[in-house]
Amino acid sequence: MLEQLEAIRERFDEVAQQIVQPEVVSDQKRFMKLSKEYKDLEKIVAQYQAYKQLLEEIDNAKEIIATEKDADFRDMAKAELDELLPRRETMEETLKEMLIPKDPNDSKNVILEIRGGTGGDEAAIFAGDLFRMYQRFCEKMGWRMSLVDYTEGTSGGYKEIVTEIEGEDVYGKLKFESGVHRVQRVPATETQGRIHTSAASVAVLPEAEEVDVELNMNDIRKDTFCSSGAGGQSVNTTYSAVRLTHIPTGLVVQCQDERSQLKNFDKALTVLRSRLYEIELQKHNEAIASQRKTMVGSGDRSDKIRTYNYPQSRVTDHRIGLTVYNLPAVMDGDIGDFIEQLRIAENAERLKEGATA
């Protein structure tokens, strides 16, 4: 581990020198890439320096115990050593976790898609509740969420809603949200007071960049139509909404949020590129999953991942068996505990996998 950490420190020093070079500063793409690498390595190097300092203190305490003739000094050194050794174990665990290779997609922005599933009107209402939950979580994280496309439910909520989320490590945090979310409650439309079970599916797609997916524009058919959502006087009078069809796969994407047809085209193209990227990513993940079955799931959107039980104010994540009894807070965007526990579970599996490899 020490060799690995030393190599990271050397790379950190190298990046620190490169990042101030005029030719790098003038190349925006390269500068941003190196800035991100510098920021990621800085955390590991700071922890490594603290670990080296701790090892030095342990060696000093051991030397005093072995060579000091004064009994009081030896007792003080033993007491110090008793404090330092548990700190070393904790720090080593932290460093091991930091050395786990990061998913290269973790730093990407995401396309978030929520669709009402089984349950008719109630499923659409629940999809709207989930959208608000993620909207509130984004606000707390300081991320920017922008609407791409939506179809409203007949009694409220959304049959389908697609958004783009931009910020730091968005995919790394939200990737565990992909799957089927189930709700148990008395719907507003229910007159007998019976509890119904409905569901909505969530898909979190890492936003693909041009370098990730090569798109041939000849494979894409573009159609324009009138927007149907809110947008002032221009709605239903200008063909600003855009629908893109990827002919080889049959994938269809549309965007009607912006008043400008060009902006809607750019957004729709981003979503299309991300969906194509996700198809390839899913193939890659399935190949890995065939070798190992992860506790936190494959990220498959058909996996039932979480249940929201309103009568009991209970939320249960089925992948890690975590249950909390603060449903109102969760629906108000307080999902950080779930995300953190899922991240810990995934890291533990990857550590175990590295140990047996």
Side-chain angles (χ1 to χ4, degrees), residues 3 30 105 158 223:
E3 285 179 14
R30 193 176 167 205
N105 290 313
Y158 301 96
D223 298 302

Side-chain angles (χ1 to χ4, degrees), residues 78-122:
K78 282 175 187 174
E80 188 183 6
L81 192 62
D82 287 342
E83 283 181 23
L84 294 173
L85 291 175
R87 277 177 56 199
R88 183 181 68 181
E89 287 178 26
T90 305
M91 207 172 269
E92 283 174 354
E93 286 304 312
T94 303
L95 281 166
K96 280 178 190 173
E97 191 176 304
M98 290 177 97
L99 289 174
I100 298 170
K102 278 186 75 176
D103 181 337
N105 290 313
D106 280 357
S107 59
K108 290 182 184 289
N109 296 327
V110 308
I111 304 297
L112 174 71
E113 302 179 343
I114 306 170
R115 293 179 178 83
T118 53
D121 288 346
E122 168 62 8

